[in-house]
Every structure is written in C-alpha cells, then in structure tokens.
Amino acid sequence: MPAQPRAWQRMLSGRRLDLLDPTPVDIEIEDIAHGLAFVARWNGQTKGDFAYSVAEHSMLVETLFSRLMPRAPVKWQLAALLHDAPEYVIGDMISPVKAAVGPGYSALDDRLTAAIHLRFGLPAQIPQTIKKTIKKADRISAWMEATDIAGFTTQEADRFFGKPDAGLMDGLSIRLRPPVEARTEFTARHSDLMARL
C-alpha cells in the first residue's frame, strides 16, 4: 500500500496540526496570531509598505461586530475575532477563488473552525444570527479595505460588498504595520476576551 500523504503541519509552538482531522489540543493562540499576522488580505495587492494582514482584519471585524451587536456576550465577540482563524494554516483566498475551489475548501475550513472554537470554549458551530452578524461586519471591513487600500472605487465596493452605514465606521481606519505589532495586539485582544468569558 502506498504511504498516506502528509496532511499535518508543524507549528512554531511544536504542535503537529492535522489539517484534515484537527483536534482542539493541537491549537494554540500564539500559532494562530503568528500565522494570521503574516497572511496578507487581497493576495497582497494593497497600497502601503506593509501587507494588510488577516490579523488586522480580524480585529476590525470584531470591533464592527461589537458595534452591530453591542449587547452580545463576550463569547460572540471572541467568535468574531476568530472568524478567519483557519487561515493561519490554509491561507486567505479571495471569495471568487474559494467558490472555484468548491466544497472541499469549505469542508476543510469548517473542520478547522470547529476545532478552534472548541479549543477556546465556543460551540463548534455558532448560532446563525451571530454568524450573519459576523458576516455583515466582515463585509463592512471588506468595503473599508477595498476603498482604502485595494484600489476599488466606492461604486465598485458598494456593488460587491454592499453600501455600509457610515456611522458604523466612525473613528475606524485601516492599519498597515509590521506583522509583529499585529500579532502582539491580536494575542492581547484574545487574552482580554478569554479573561472576560
């Protein structure tokens, strides 16, 4: 019999994460924060001297989610922060590519998401109302990123991501900075939320 192809990745923490059958015990926030800080949104096609990382995007989505649902329990804020956490090992793909790859990508993402949620005390699957609100925050973030750093016109962003309520974005901006800074802030935000669960 031929040997099974390797489907695991060694993490900097020393953990060995099976990408096809992930378990919560092999997931560490430091690995997630490090990976997300080095994964570029928009395939790196953004203005500025630093890539806009998935870690930065995740923190913005969590802020927007909290504005959309200010009375949400802390656990759902944590779910918003971790909404793209699987990308620390599978990378970020723009939506059209995800659709072209097909259901295999979604199944992989779902398994990783479930393991990450369980690792940090969340249900494997979150309620649809929370999921929809996180998705709305995600689309507002995408609109901000598209118009600020990815070269989209406002009209294009409105068509692809929906026109957001300007009030939700008051005082928020896209931050481009070294990965180590994004990693540190992401880890600190996760610690803060975990302490309040």
Side-chain angles (χ1 to χ4, degrees), residues 7 19 60 93 97 102 106 129 157 167:
L19 301 177
L60 179 57
M93 283 191 250
V97 175
S106 292
T129 54

Side-chain angles (χ1 to χ4, degrees), residues 25 52 119 126 154 171 173 177:
V25 296
Y52 185 68
R119 169 64 176 88
I126 60 176
T154 300
S173 61
R177 55 187 169 156

Side-chain angles (χ1 to χ4, degrees), residues 32-68:
I32 292 172
H34 182 82
L36 295 183
F38 282 91
V39 174
R41 294 267 296 162
W42 306 95
N43 292 326
Q45 297 302 303
T46 52
K47 300 171 188 172
D49 293 331
F50 295 101
Y52 185 68
S53 73
V54 176
E56 290 285 0
H57 163 78
S58 297
M59 290 183 283
L60 179 57
V61 168
E62 190 254 322
T63 299
L64 289 163
F65 171 82
S66 296
R67 289 182 177 194
L68 288 165

Side-chain angles (χ1 to χ4, degrees), residues 35-125:
L36 295 183
F38 282 91
V39 174
R41 294 267 296 162
W42 306 95
N43 292 326
Q45 297 302 303
T46 52
K47 300 171 188 172
D49 293 331
F50 295 101
Y52 185 68
S53 73
V54 176
E56 290 285 0
H57 163 78
S58 297
M59 290 183 283
L60 179 57
V61 168
E62 190 254 322
T63 299
L64 289 163
F65 171 82
S66 296
R67 289 182 177 194
L68 288 165
M69 200 175 260
R71 292 185 184 86
V74 172
K75 66 181 177 180
W76 302 139
Q77 291 174 263
L78 180 61
L81 181 70
L82 297 172
H83 80 284
D84 277 340
E87 294 178 8
Y88 86 108
V89 287
I90 60 175
D92 184 33
M93 283 191 250
I94 60 173
S95 296
V97 175
K98 287 179 185 176
V101 169
Y105 180 87
S106 292
L108 179 61
D109 187 86
D110 290 346
R111 285 193 298 272
L112 284 163
T113 297
I116 291 164
H117 282 181
L118 293 173
R119 169 64 176 88
F120 299 113
L122 298 170
Q125 294 187 10

